[in-house]
Amino acid sequence: MKINNELFFAEIETLLSEGLKAEFMLLGNSMRPLLRNGRDTVIIAPTTEQDPLVGEVYLFRYRGRHMLHRLHRIEGEILVMRGDGNYRIEERCRAKDLVGRLVCVRCKSGREIDCSGRAWRLKSRLWCALPAELRRIILGVLRRTIGL
């Protein structure tokens, strides 16, 4: 059953504003290879006073849509967001546009990955440290070989 995105994310925002976590199946390929379309369920917690933190993944409002991307850098009051699978495209928003922060990923197998854990942080740092051209090549190979 399909649900209107506006209604869906309005409910997500309500849950988060009440201090609860929200979870949903990831749709889209912009966070490949660490998060996969139709396979991973993301668990989002409300943002905290410590947010925003470079390197963390946030659910945020952008041009009337909700997106789940990593905070790439901060330019004054502007947050520059980028999907891990996007090696060229960036979105700009403000801290008030952050809706929640990714805290856990549940894989199709049921295994949960704590996003504050060493393994997740290491994978994230390594992937983001790669030059954009190399990430593009790796994503192309993965797409052709395993359909990622």
Side-chain angles (χ1 to χ4, degrees):
M1 173 171 92
K2 280 199 165 192
I3 299 173
N4 176 289
N5 267 359
E6 284 182 38
L7 294 173
F8 178 78
F9 283 108
E11 186 61 27
I12 296 290
E13 286 201 37
T14 298
L15 290 170
L16 294 170
S17 71
E18 294 172 356
L20 301 171
K21 292 179 182 174
E23 64 181 76
F24 54 91
M25 175 78 68
L26 184 68
L27 295 177
N29 293 310
S30 66
M31 287 300 290
R32 299 175 299 161
L34 299 179
L35 298 174
R36 294 196 32 206
N37 176 46
R39 179 196 78 171
D40 296 328
T41 296
V42 293
I43 300 170
I44 307 295
T47 53
T48 66
E49 292 178 12
Q50 290 84 16
D51 293 322
L53 297 171
V54 172
E56 295 289 319
V57 177
Y58 291 96
L59 178 65
F60 64 100
R61 288 182 227 95
Y62 178 74
R63 295 185 179 174
R65 298 173 47 202
H66 284 78
M67 303 184 87
L68 185 73
H69 284 169
R70 190 176 304 279
L71 176 53
H72 182 62
R73 67 182 179 277
I74 300 174
E75 297 173 347
E77 293 190 18
I78 302 298
L79 307 178
V80 180
M81 312 297 285
R82 182 188 290 173
D84 289 352
N86 293 337
Y87 52 92
R88 287 183 290 191
I89 301 169
E90 296 178 337
E91 298 84 25
R92 287 171 166 67
C93 67
R94 298 187 179 275
K96 68 178 181 166
D97 298 314
L98 299 180
V99 175
R101 181 175 48 86
L102 178 67
V103 293
C104 187
V105 179
R106 185 176 306 118
C107 301
K108 197 171 189 175
S109 67
R111 181 175 70 103
E112 291 193 356
I113 302 167
D114 177 2
C115 295
S116 63
R118 286 178 126 174
W120 172 263
R121 291 193 179 281
L122 180 60
K123 284 182 200 175
S124 296
R125 281 192 200 119
L126 289 173
W127 179 254
C128 293
L130 293 174
E133 186 62 24
L134 182 56
R135 289 196 334 244
R136 182 185 72 77
I137 292 167
I138 292 169
L139 287 169
V141 169
L142 290 172
R143 187 174 41 255
R144 286 192 267 303
T145 57
I146 61 173
L148 176 64

